[in-house]
Amino acid sequence: GKQVICFNMSTEKDKLLTIEEVAKILRVSERSVNRYIVSRKLRASKIGWWRIKQSDLDKFLEETSNQKNKSK
C-alpha cells in the first residue's frame, strides 16, 4: 500500500534550518553564515534565533554558484 505522510504539512523546501545546520551544509563557520544573513546575501527569519528556509538556502547556493547562465 501507499504510505501517506500527513503529520508534516510543510514541504521539504519550507523546512526551517538553524544557523548551525546551514553552517554544516555549507561547511563554513556559523560566523560566516551570520555574515551572509547580515549582509542580506542569505534570507533568514528571526524566530527567537535566526531560521533559514531550505528554499532560501537553495537560492543562495544558486546565486553564489559559478554558473552564471541563468536558464529559467
Side-chain angles (χ1 to χ4, degrees):
K2 270 190 186 167
Q3 193 178 9
V4 181
I5 301 166
C6 31
F7 59 86
N8 185 1
M9 295 307 290
S10 68
T11 63
E12 199 60 22
K13 289 260 175 231
D14 291 329
K15 189 176 160 194
L16 287 174
L17 303 167
T18 63
I19 284 181
E20 188 184 357
E21 289 170 323
V22 171
K24 278 184 184 150
I25 293 166
L26 299 179
R27 293 176 184 228
V28 296
S29 68
E30 291 177 37
R31 184 182 280 165
S32 293
V33 177
N34 266 310
R35 270 201 301 264
Y36 299 147
I37 292 168
V38 171
S39 64
R40 298 189 180 278
K41 286 181 186 166
L42 177 60
R43 220 174 132 196
S45 303
K46 191 102 186 226
I47 310 165
W49 307 98
W50 284 112
R51 296 285 181 254
I52 300 97
K53 272 176 36 184
Q54 180 70 56
S55 55
D56 288 328
L57 178 58
D58 295 342
K59 223 173 283 170
F60 171 77
L61 288 170
E62 274 171 35
E63 285 164 11
T64 55
S65 113
N66 60 5
Q67 302 294 313
K68 284 296 172 202
N69 54 341
K70 294 255 192 272
S71 53
K72 286 266 165 170

